[in-house]
Amino acid sequence: DGRQVVITCDDGSAKIHSWNDAGHWTLTADISNIEDIEDIEYLEDIDDSRGVKACFSRDGSRVLTRSVTPYTPNPYAKIHQRNEEGGWTSETVSDPNAKFVRFSPNGNQLLLFGFKETAKILSLNDNLASATLVNPGYKIIRATASPDGRHVITINHQDAATNRTTLKIFGRVGSGNWTGKTGNIPIFNSDHSDLSPKFSPDGCHVMAAKDLKNLEFLSCDKHGKWVQSSIYVWGTAKKAFFSPDSSHAAVITPGYSPICYIYGYDAARGWIEKKIIPHDHDLPKIEASFSADSRHIVTFCSLERSSGTEYHAYIHGRDGNGDWSRRAIATHYGPINTACFNNDGNHLVTASADGTAIILGRYANGSWVEKTTLKHAYPVRSAIFSADSRQVVTASGERTVEIWRLVASGMDSGQSG
């Protein structure tokens, strides 16, 4: 909500500041993750730096802190919850054997994993009631909860000799216990987040890479059964992600002729290819992103080649029949670093190394037109809309951030830096 900030410090502490009704930032919590003087003396003998990580839950009502200092005797994790008085109360929640701790997407659960054949789930709305996920014969190295908190993906290693990596889905049953919903499904062993297993935003689908040319989709049917389907990709997959409404998925393959594939979900047929978007030759690196309403996608080139090259951002839209077609092109003369839609999907802003940011807008009839070009003295590294779309923030050069404000025609632009 923009009213809290957490700052981590080299001394192993985290400080929470809150915006009060008088319009001032005040210190409301000073947190140390070092539990006792023996630990402090032990750490001072090894290293003067005692790092800590901290993050908010999605609604900002909780903060998770975790010591990240090497050789910490007991890597504590704590949950700090905002109370009615505006302060914060804390409780140590970590299992000392857990190597990793993270919030679930909805912020109502805490996942602890990285130790032997189990992972733990703590319910933060039920007095830290815990449940255990067990995968015999496998070490659970990663765990990710679905957005609604009803399912969890575990990533597992069988043993060091084979280094076999699998995915397994667990689901919560009515009694509050968790049970395996799938077997151990072999997947590609990669730490690259762009190809790591992920839930769709609605929690009904899971995507994982079986290898660099095959993707596995698991979709939960109306009976709660996870149905598996495979997609062969004509190329080497670099990135794969769902649309915000979970109805589509995009897969990017680099190379001499980079391509973005769009797949759509059909309950009867599973995931089927809907559109192939080829990009410019000799520009092997492309990126893509969906609009918030999932009805448009932008693909763009982001790797510099020879001078004088044109770099394009292509907007494709989906009609009422589910067919995708090209709607607009934005052209730059330098690599396009970012291309972002605004919240309602009616505008797009691109940021380029040629020193410009281009804003395009969509008319009621579906056509797109270039609205303006924001010129900078240095390459533009990023550009993004404000929540109400009346401002654009651009970052250019090494030290410059500019705010561009939408005004009526003929008025002063109101640009500020």
Side-chain angles (χ1 to χ4, degrees):
D1 59 4
R3 298 182 65 87
Q4 315 288 332
V5 62
V6 60
I7 302 168
T8 58
C9 306
D10 288 342
D11 64 0
S13 68
K15 295 173 172 55
I16 302 175
H17 295 257
S18 302
W19 184 256
N20 61 27
D21 293 337
H24 301 289
W25 288 97
T26 59
L27 178 66
T28 51
D30 191 347
I31 303 158
S32 173
N33 265 52
I34 307 300
E35 288 292 301
D36 54 54
I37 191 65
E38 293 180 2
D39 286 347
I40 293 176
E41 292 174 347
Y42 176 86
L43 292 173
E44 286 177 342
D45 289 340
I46 297 174
D47 192 343
D48 288 338
S49 176
R50 298 188 292 273
V52 63
K53 286 186 176 181
C55 64
F56 283 104
S57 60
R58 176 174 291 183
D59 65 0
S61 65
R62 298 183 176 98
V63 171
L64 170 65
T65 60
R66 172 67 185 253
S67 173
V68 293
T69 302
Y71 313 112
T72 305
N74 190 353
Y76 299 102
K78 294 181 181 178
I79 286 289
H80 317 270
Q81 186 158 359
R82 195 166 51 193
N83 56 41
E84 294 180 355
E85 291 75 30
W88 297 80
T89 56
S90 66
E91 184 167 355
T92 300
V93 297
S94 181
D95 184 320
N97 295 314
K99 294 182 179 179
F100 304 97
V101 185
R102 65 168 56 161
F103 279 120
S104 62
N106 63 13
N108 294 330
Q109 298 162 321
L110 205 65
L111 280 67
L112 297 81
F113 55 93
F115 51 98
K116 297 185 179 180
E117 301 175 343
T118 63
K120 289 185 178 180
I121 301 174
L122 300 182
S123 175
L124 301 179
N125 292 338
D126 191 20
N127 297 319
L128 297 180
S130 65
T132 302
L133 311 181
V134 181
N135 195 11
Y138 291 84
K139 178 182 178 181
I140 298 176
I141 60 172
R142 195 157 66 249
T144 302
S146 61
D148 59 7
R150 295 178 58 84
H151 293 90
V152 168
I153 297 171
T154 63
I155 309 303
N156 322 282
H157 275 171
Q158 188 169 29
D159 56 59
T162 62
N163 200 28
R164 183 179 182 229
T165 304
T166 66
L167 173 152
K168 188 171 184 177
I169 300 176
F170 289 82
R172 187 174 58 195
V173 296
S175 61
N177 295 324
W178 291 76
T179 184
K181 295 294 184 178
T182 68
N184 281 284
I185 301 168
I187 61 171
F188 179 57
N189 183 16
S190 173
D191 292 329
H192 202 299
S193 61
D194 288 341
L195 287 177
S196 63
K198 55 182 68 70
F199 280 104
S200 60
D202 64 2
C204 295
H205 307 281
V206 169
M207 178 197 306
K210 183 177 181 180
D211 53 48
L212 292 178
K213 288 183 176 292
N214 292 274
L215 293 179
E216 298 290 341
F217 285 87
L218 295 107
S219 300
C220 190
D221 64 18
K222 61 182 180 180
H223 304 295
K225 180 181 179 181
W226 288 85
V227 180
Q228 185 176 350
S229 60
S230 300
I231 291 176
Y232 179 79
V233 180
W234 293 94
T236 300
K238 170 187 173 290
K239 186 176 184 178
F241 55 97
F242 289 103
S243 63
D245 69 356
S246 306
S247 66
H248 289 77
V251 180
I252 296 174
T253 62
Y256 179 72
S257 298
I259 294 174
C260 177
Y261 297 90
I262 300 179
Y263 298 90
Y265 179 69
D266 182 278
R269 297 184 292 168
W271 291 89
I272 56 177
E273 186 179 286
K274 303 292 286 186
K275 183 67 177 180
I276 298 176
I277 304 175
H279 241 278
D280 307 289
H281 293 296
D282 293 328
L283 291 170
K285 185 177 181 181
I286 63 170
E287 297 289 343
S289 63
F290 285 102
S291 59
D293 61 4
S294 304
R295 301 202 63 85
H296 292 86
I297 190 171
V298 59
T299 60
F300 55 98
C301 299
S302 58
L303 183 67
E304 185 172 6
R305 302 297 285 182
S306 58
S307 60
T309 301
E310 289 187 351
Y311 298 80
H312 300 118
Y314 298 117
I315 299 176
H316 285 73
R318 175 163 51 102
D319 62 25
N321 297 319
D323 297 323
W324 292 81
S325 60
R326 185 180 294 178
R327 302 295 173 82
I329 303 175
T331 301
H332 286 277
Y333 295 92
I336 301 171
N337 293 316
T338 63
C340 300
F341 290 97
N342 70 334
N343 282 346
D344 64 10
N346 287 325
H347 287 85
L348 177 85
V349 60
T350 59
S352 173
D354 66 6
T356 66
I358 296 176
I359 298 177
L360 296 93
R362 182 165 66 98
Y363 288 133
N365 63 6
S367 63
W368 289 78
V369 64
E370 185 175 317
K371 294 285 190 178
T372 190
T373 299
L374 309 178
K375 297 181 179 180
H376 299 68
Y378 301 97
V380 186
R381 292 184 287 109
S382 66
I384 191 170
F385 287 99
S386 61
D388 63 2
S389 302
R390 298 190 63 82
Q391 298 181 95
V392 169
V393 178
T394 59
S396 61
E398 294 184 356
R399 302 181 180 183
T400 304
V401 172
E402 295 179 77
I403 301 172
W404 305 75
R405 182 163 53 91
L406 176 66
V407 296
S409 178
M411 295 179 61
D412 178 36
S413 67
Q415 174 191 342
S416 60

